[in-house]
Amino acid sequence: MTYDYVIVGAGSAGCVLADRLSANPAHRVLLLEAGGRDWHPFIHMPAGLGKLFALRDINWDYSTEPEPALQQRRLWWPRGHVLGGSSSINAMCYARGVAADYDEWAAATGDPRWAWPSVLEVFRRGEDNARGADAWHGVGGPLTVSDLRHHNVLSQAFIDAAAAFGIARNDDFNGATQEGVGYYQVTQRDGLRCSAATAYLKPALARANLHVRTRARTTRVLLDGTRAVGVEYRRGGRLQRVEAGQVLLCGGAVNSPQLLMLSGIGPADHLREHGLAVAIDARGVGANLQDHLDICTLVQSTRDVTYDKVSDVAVMLEFLFRRSGIGTSNIAEAGGFVRTRHAADARCDLQFHFVPALLDDHGRNKLPGSGYTLHTCFLRPRSRGSIRLRSADPSAKAQIHANYLGDAEGFDLKMMVEGARLAREIFAQAPFAPYRGAEIFPGAAAQSDAELVDFVRRKAETIYHPVGTCRMGRDDAAVLDGELRVRGVDALRVVDASVMPTLIGGNTNAPTMMIAERAAQLLLAG
């Protein structure tokens, strides 16, 4: 069959595109998703996110290659492999970054439509904020953004402790200023997760012109010369082809560059190493990988108020019958943004996510007792990594060379140590006195810079924000132009977090949906 649009990947961006492009009944739209449907109840119960990582069927279950600056550890990268993509498994924190982040994109692309005034209107158009509309927020859009229904007492203690340390309180990280500490607004509707699939895709499923195929792994883009004319995908053991007027890749920072390379679009020497014919020599494909590296400070609690030992049955019953309680929590309830003395400009350079539970190795390592955790990530990393093919086999996972802490100046490492020290200072404040037990990580023995450096190298992990591997720009190494078109190829666009030239200062899910909203506008404008 022939479609006007084939969208590869039903994640945060793909669901947005499927909705917006199929709204015109004259457009035939096909959405291909390698994973399955978002049927699992833990997807929709917000606190269920703590159980999701163990469900390999909805997780790509990636790991990096051995990281040289992190004691050759392979860091785990969970990414959504299900309708909604990572918006179906994330912590639902709604954060946009700040104006200067997008002004950088506009400068990189030479396109003012990526500058903050224009981008803000796209954010507002897609949002349905429970607090109502104002200069910063919108109502009536598909994506519900709301305040949490449940807060743990320790989350309030974190906010109070940070304020006692001198950090301002802030009840809206997406308002007039980002800096400060408070509760995150979340992508939830009526106490349930509001993923991209819930917000955008499900209302569109009844349209006769939208076809969705799950368990469909795209293997390559079909090219006729330098024009994309469709895709090849495998489903149910059968290799199938479909033709399209436009091919839109929405696989994310790992899968989109991998698919381009499998299709002959990428660094020529690398493609030839794997026996692939070179259609377009595009050295930027897979390069420019950026991610927020995160370090966790863990402290034992002297009171039984954490989420470590709650009754799963009691939580589930309260959630099912009252749509309230712990089940509605995103677990990372509170957090914030700070600007340290090392900041290069007026933007914040560290972000916090506070968790009223012990969280080690993404929650996979269950520690005895109970306690609380403060995630601290450096928002402006200078290190750059890459995505490379492992083989020409489309089913083989790509190689992820994150290159964490790989900047020549060692600035990223310096900021990770700064973050660990700042977390300690917050936990030392009076509001935590009724709960404070022994420090688990870094541990009381780690006091010097050298000891904290060792702690970072042993324990730092991703906070799940990989971007940049198909970046847009106007230089020769840019993969895309400012309209997200693959350079040198007609009728082929990339629409996901991989297009970001630089990381924004915050969580990347909301910006990814904004990118897709902008892409839909570009496509529909012709």
Side-chain angles (χ1 to χ4, degrees), residues 48-258:
L49 69 92
K51 311 284 189 180
L52 292 177
F53 287 161
L55 303 176
R56 292 294 182 260
D57 189 52
I58 62 172
N59 184 349
W60 282 100
D61 193 28
Y62 289 130
S63 292
T64 69
E65 297 303 295
E67 285 293 316
L70 297 176
Q71 298 185 349
Q72 299 297 321
R73 290 186 292 128
R74 294 179 181 268
L75 273 63
W76 189 48
W77 275 26
R79 312 301 301 158
H81 182 247
V82 64
L83 290 182
S86 294
S87 75
S88 289
I89 68 170
N90 69 1
M92 295 156 278
C93 297
Y94 183 78
R96 299 170 174 170
V98 295
D101 295 335
Y102 300 98
D103 292 341
E104 276 190 351
W105 293 10
T109 60
D111 190 336
R113 288 173 294 189
W114 293 110
W116 177 246
S118 179
V119 162
L120 176 59
E121 289 310 304
V122 181
F123 274 120
R124 294 182 74 249
R125 176 176 180 259
E127 184 184 9
D128 187 22
N129 198 296
R131 297 181 185 177
D134 59 22
W136 308 98
H137 297 288
V139 296
L143 183 68
T144 303
V145 177
S146 61
D147 296 312
L148 284 161
R149 294 187 171 195
H150 179 86
H151 297 136
N152 186 281
V153 64
L154 289 168
S155 296
Q156 186 62 52
F158 163 76
I159 295 170
D160 294 341
F165 182 64
I167 301 172
R169 297 175 190 265
N170 187 351
D171 67 354
D172 185 2
F173 301 132
N174 304 295
T177 183
Q178 183 190 60
E179 189 168 9
V181 291
Y183 290 112
Y184 284 106
Q185 278 205 298
V186 290
T187 49
Q188 291 184 14
R189 180 185 298 163
D190 299 327
L192 297 164
R193 177 190 293 273
C194 186
S195 68
T198 296
Y200 286 90
L201 181 60
K202 290 185 179 176
L205 288 176
R207 295 172 185 162
N209 62 322
L210 173 62
H211 297 171
V212 180
R213 294 179 191 163
T214 56
R215 306 296 181 190
R217 177 71 177 267
T218 303
T219 57
R220 64 184 175 115
V221 177
L222 300 175
L223 300 175
D224 182 1
T226 58
R227 183 177 185 83
V229 295
V231 300
E232 180 182 84
Y233 66 95
R234 185 173 293 280
R235 187 176 192 232
R238 293 179 55 224
L239 198 60
Q240 303 180 51
R241 292 187 174 201
V242 63
E243 296 179 355
Q246 292 275 343
V247 176
L248 310 172
L249 305 187
C250 303
V254 178
N255 289 17
S256 283
Q258 180 187 23

Side-chain angles (χ1 to χ4, degrees), residues 244-290:
Q246 292 275 343
V247 176
L248 310 172
L249 305 187
C250 303
V254 178
N255 289 17
S256 283
Q258 180 187 23
L259 187 55
L260 284 177
M261 288 186 281
L262 290 170
S263 307
I265 304 167
D269 290 346
H270 180 60
L271 300 186
R272 292 188 185 108
E273 286 175 8
H274 294 288
L276 292 165
V278 179
I280 300 290
D281 183 4
R283 60 187 173 91
V285 172
N288 192 49
L289 175 60
Q290 301 160 58

Side-chain angles (χ1 to χ4, degrees), residues 25-49:
H27 294 156
R28 290 178 55 81
V29 180
L30 174 64
L31 178 61
L32 298 174
E33 167 55 37
R37 297 194 174 270
D38 56 339
W39 61 269
H40 202 288
F42 285 153
I43 290 176
H44 304 287
M45 183 178 79
L49 69 92

